[in-house]
Amino acid sequence: MAKQLKKAPPPKEMDMLPVMSLMTVLIPVILTMASFQKLAIVEVNLPERTEMSIESEPPPPDDNALNLTVAITRDYLEIWARGGSLPREFYKEMWTFRCRSDGDTITYDPSTFVYDDKGAAKNPPKCQDGRELDSEKFRYSIETIHLWALHKESEEDPGKIKMSVYSKTDSAYLDGNNEFITDPALVRPGLTVATLSESSARRLACGQSAPGVEDICSDGRPAVSLRPRSAYDELAKTLMMIHNRFIDSPDADNIIVLADDDTAFDKIISVMDRARDSGFFKINLAKLAAGG
Amino acid sequence: MARKTREYGEPIAFSLTSMMDIMTIILVFMIKQVDSEGQLITAAENLVLPNSTSTKTPREVSLGLVVDANWVLVDGQRVVETSIVSGQDTLLVAALDEVLKDKREIEKQAKIAKGEPDEGGGNIIVQLDKNMNYDVMYKVMATCGFSGFTNVAFAVNQLNPEE
């Protein structure tokens, strides 16, 4: 009699339920630990002089010292070095708000706001869906403070907004002469440009990305934009030039940032960023005496 | 001929394999999001920190000072109203100085107890709203220096941390 083969039982499916339970517990635990906002710090040196004024004792002069200072006032940025100053960089301040109601952004000229005695705006910013921001606390909805660089012939001249070509990643392009590119038609594949960072020269290309090559195209067409030039970009360009020229100076890494009392903290941090990115790592803060 | 009715056999077990795949992907994504080093500073409520290109992160736990639109807080405790700081003419914020000096003393005592030298002044991380005016910032910073916290750093949002 032929030996009857025992039929193997069908394989048992693995019980996934405990693993699923573990996953369900793990995910909320990790969610609570996750940080979606990454914080960093900006270090400063404490003020050496409490206030820059005519009455305060000036430091002993050093002929080789750069004594680089950037002043932020209501209308312009100014750079002083070696006892002299560079032409003022006038700007127009613009505030971009993010509306919670529709998620869109709106940009306003802050000088258009009219305030009552309590400091509340009579004409608060209006979102695209028609809703108004809080008349008292709308300043705390500012997402970005833009400083648009102005070309002025004189102090009285209202000025003309300078324009620049910006990349997809929001970097201003500089040509071979280290000047801002102002015509988008010039920015074409094959052109060599630089941005406002060290060793940033790159060749522009379309649909091709590699070290030293930047893909400027989107859907097969150059996707650069002509926008108002940031006064911070003008500042960064000048600071980089100064740093490269006075690299042997004993205080080549030092910079003092001066500001008016009502200067927003955001502007201070932006100027400090540009200073640090240009090679000035030791940043001191000081107050601009009333009246400049 | 009568229509043959469908016979239901044993209930088919609910397949969890696809669900497991989804969960595994989510889990891997979440683990990637979690900073393995952890964060030594936590963003305060009621304020928006400015964005910065700085990538420097604090190395050790520091005292936290927060200045929002209404209050100046040290370690979460309200110390003085921001409007009072803004309105005063002097650089030293007396109420804040008092609290900071106490904190600095505690810090010194803790270091002595551990047998560590107390060199270089105390560390403090200041969180200010991006729209806070420079006058308030300067007074707070100067008060930190007066009370012994000479290593002052400002907390900022890291701009494009992935880049």
Side-chain angles (χ1 to χ4, degrees), chain A residues 55 67 105 143 159 210 270 287:
Chain A
E55 290 78 26
N67 292 326
T105 55
E143 186 171 271
S270 297
K287 256 188 175 185

Side-chain angles (χ1 to χ4, degrees), chain A residues 20 31 35 37-44 47 49-50 139 143 261 263 265-266 273 276 285-287, chain B residues 19-20 30 34 39 52-54 56 69 129-132 134-135 137-138 145 152-154 156-158:
Chain A
M20 276 293 294
L31 250 181
S35 61
Q37 182 188 30
K38 188 138 188 180
L39 301 183
I41 54 166
V42 175
E43 288 174 328
V44 286
R49 282 165 283 168
T50 53
R139 277 167 177 264
E143 186 171 271
D261 277 353
T263 305
F265 179 52
D266 188 69
D273 275 353
R276 200 180 48 250
L285 296 174
K287 256 188 175 185
Chain B
M19 190 73 95
M20 273 294 295
M30 301 302 283
V34 174
Q39 289 219 52
S52 170
T53 53
S54 173
K56 201 166 192 176
D129 189 278
K130 66 195 285 184
N131 298 304
M132 188 57 63
Y134 185 59
D135 182 45
M137 170 197 158
Y138 198 79
V152 181
F154 295 110
V156 289
N157 275 329
Q158 224 179 89

Side-chain angles (χ1 to χ4, degrees), chain A residues 7 22 25 34 42 63 133 150-151 171 174 176 179 184 197 217 230 233 278 291:
Chain A
K7 198 180 172 188
L22 183 70
V25 173
V42 175
D63 292 340
L133 294 181
L150 291 177
H151 174 75
S171 301
L174 301 174
E179 295 294 336
S197 50
C217 291
S230 169
D233 288 343
S278 307

